[in-house]
Amino acid sequence: MKIQREALEKTFRAQPHGLYWISGDEPLLNIESADLLRRLAKDSGYLERERYVMEHNSDWEPIMASVGTLSLFASQKFIDIQFNAKFNDKFKAAMAYLVEQRDDQTLIVLSTTKVEASATKAKWFNSIEQHATHLPIWPIKSDEFKQWIVTRLESEQLAIEDDALAILAQRTEGNLLAASQEISALKLLDSDGILTAEKILEATADSARYDAFQLIEHALKGDISAAIRALNGLRGEGTEPIIVLSAIAANIRQLMAVKKLLAARSANDAELKRLGIFFNRVHLMREAAKRLTAVSLKMALEYCASADEAIKTSQTDYAWHQLEKLSLLLSGMMPEEVS
C-alpha cells in the first residue's frame, strides 16, 4: 500500500509491516523517514540490525538468505537496505523474493531514488506495492517552501519575522537539507526564540550555504573566475556536494521555466515571482535565461544527473568535477567548450 510521509509513524504503530520502501530524490526527507523507521523498529523490539548498501551489480543473495533466518542475538531483526542504482532485473527479482518471504520476525526498510511514472504501471511494481508499504517522497513545491521553514522552526521552538523568512528562504533556495542546517545553527545562536532579518544576515554571512548562493550569483552574472573560486572554496571547506548540486539544480529548473515565459512573451515580474524567484533576483534570472541557450540548460540537467549519481555512489571527486562543468555552463561557456 502507498502512504504519505505524515502518516508513517501512525501506520507503523498500528501494525508494523514486513517491508517499507522509501523512494524519492529529496535527501533530507528520505534520510529523516528512514531514521524514523529505525527508531520505531528499535522501540518495537527489532534489536538486531543488518545494513546493506547495494549498487547495480551487487549480489542480493546475502540479503535473501538472511530473510527467514532466525536472529542469533534477538527475537526480531531489522534489515536496512540502500539501493543506489536503476531498478534492474536483479533488483526486481530480489524485491519479489523479499515480499514473498517476509515474516513478522523480520522488518525490511528499503531506500531508493524516486520511482518514475512509467515504472508505477509495471506489473513488478504493482506486485511489490500491493504487499509492501510504499512511501514516495515528493519534493516540497516552491510555494510551500516558506511554510515548511516555519513549521520546521516551530518544531525547534523558534519564531521568525516575515522579512527574515524571505531572506532565509532565498538563501537556501528550496534546498531542505541546507535550510535544516541553517535552522540548527540559528537555534544555537538565538537567545529569545524570535528570528529577525538582522539575525539571519549575521548568522549566515559566513556560512557555506551562503557561499553556494554566491557561487550561483557569480555564474548567472557570467563571472566565470568568481564562480570557480567560490566552487573551489566550498570544496576546500568540506561542504557536502549535494548541497551545491541541489542549489544549482533548483536554479536550472527556474531558468528553464523563465525561458519558456520569454518565448511566450510573458516573463514579467509577477510571473517570475510566481516561480518562486524573489524580487531582487528577477532581473538577474531574466537576463541569464536570455543569455543561456536551451542546449546549455539541457546539458546542465545531464550534468546534474551525473553529479547526483556520483554522489550516491561515493565518487566525490567526479561529483565535484561535474559541479565545475555546471558552473562553467551557467557562467556562459558553450557546451562544446565545457565537454
Side-chain angles (χ1 to χ4, degrees):
M1 65 176 178
K2 182 188 297 183
I3 64 171
Q4 299 297 316
R5 182 168 48 89
E6 294 77 13
L8 178 57
E9 182 170 358
K10 182 179 179 181
T11 303
F12 185 98
R13 294 192 182 281
Q15 184 179 1
H17 206 284
L19 191 153
Y20 287 82
W21 180 3
I22 302 168
S23 66
D25 288 336
E26 184 53 71
L28 179 67
L29 301 184
N30 284 31
I31 292 168
E32 291 185 342
S33 298
D35 284 345
L36 174 58
L37 280 173
R38 293 182 190 111
R39 292 195 300 272
L40 291 171
K42 186 176 180 180
D43 291 344
S44 299
Y46 295 90
L47 302 180
E48 180 182 345
R49 180 188 175 201
E50 298 177 8
R51 170 69 170 160
Y52 299 89
V53 179
M54 308 298 288
E55 306 295 343
H56 180 76
N57 291 317
S58 296
D59 183 8
W60 287 85
E61 194 62 37
I63 299 176
M64 293 189 289
S66 178
V67 175
T69 303
L70 293 177
S71 170
L72 296 176
F73 308 103
S75 60
Q76 296 173 307
K77 65 180 174 180
F78 171 43
I79 299 178
D80 192 351
I81 307 169
Q82 175 73 47
F83 183 65
N84 298 321
K86 294 182 179 179
F87 305 135
N88 55 15
D89 290 340
K90 292 178 68 174
F91 170 84
K92 296 171 188 177
M95 288 303 101
Y97 180 87
L98 295 179
V99 166
E100 182 180 348
Q101 298 298 320
R102 71 193 189 284
D103 59 60
D104 293 338
Q105 302 306 307
T106 304
L107 183 72
I108 304 170
V109 174
L110 169 71
S111 299
T112 73
T113 57
K114 70 178 180 181
V115 181
E116 299 293 345
S118 57
T120 63
K121 302 174 184 177
K123 184 177 179 179
W124 69 267
F125 174 82
N126 290 321
S127 177
I128 295 172
E129 192 175 56
Q130 183 179 355
H131 297 98
T133 299
H134 181 210
L135 177 64
I137 301 294
W138 304 109
I140 300 296
K141 296 178 182 178
S142 59
D143 59 352
E144 299 171 342
F145 184 51
K146 284 186 179 180
Q147 184 55 50
W148 182 89
I149 292 177
V150 170
T151 302
R152 191 81 173 190
L153 287 166
E154 288 174 348
S155 71
E156 299 289 352
Q157 288 75 53
L158 293 172
I160 189 167
E161 295 181 354
D162 289 345
D163 289 347
L165 177 60
I167 294 171
L168 184 55
Q170 180 181 350
R171 290 283 172 86
T172 50
E173 293 275 329
N175 186 325
L176 303 192
L177 185 58
S180 177
Q181 291 174 337
E182 294 286 10
I183 289 168
S184 296
L186 289 164
K187 183 182 179 182
L188 294 174
L189 293 173
D190 191 72
S191 57
D192 58 13
I194 301 176
L195 300 176
T196 64
E198 291 75 15
K199 289 179 181 178
I200 297 291
L201 290 170
E202 180 180 357
T204 62
D206 298 319
S207 71
R209 185 59 187 82
Y210 179 64
D211 289 338
F213 176 78
Q214 288 292 345
L215 158 65
I216 295 166
E217 296 292 290
H218 292 316
L220 295 182
K221 290 175 182 176
D223 192 337
I224 294 176
S225 60
I228 296 303
R229 279 198 306 272
L231 182 69
N232 290 336
L234 285 163
R235 185 175 185 181
E237 291 171 357
T239 305
E240 291 293 333
I242 186 64
I243 293 177
V244 184
L245 175 61
S246 297
I248 292 177
N251 276 267
I252 292 172
R253 289 191 291 269
Q254 285 184 329
L255 284 167
M256 296 181 82
V258 173
K259 205 160 188 66
K260 288 183 180 179
L261 291 175
L262 287 169
R265 300 182 182 276
S266 58
N268 55 54
D269 289 4
E271 288 295 329
L272 267 63
K273 289 176 184 177
R274 272 194 277 271
L275 293 176
I277 299 171
F278 291 95
F279 69 94
N280 59 334
R281 300 187 74 233
V282 163
H283 178 73
L284 175 65
M285 292 294 283
R286 187 187 291 115
E287 293 305 308
K290 290 178 183 177
R291 175 170 48 82
L292 295 168
T293 66
V295 173
S296 292
L297 292 174
K298 181 180 178 181
M299 181 167 284
L301 284 180
E302 293 176 1
Y303 284 140
C304 282
S306 181
D308 182 58
E309 181 69 19
I311 291 168
K312 289 173 180 173
T313 54
S314 300
Q315 301 178 66
T316 306
D317 289 343
Y318 186 68
W320 281 109
H321 181 56
Q322 298 304 98
L323 290 172
E324 181 177 338
K325 289 183 176 181
L326 278 167
S327 301
L328 293 173
L329 271 178
L330 292 181
S331 297
M333 286 187 66
M334 299 303 294
E336 57 269 22
E337 296 177 301
V338 174
S339 57

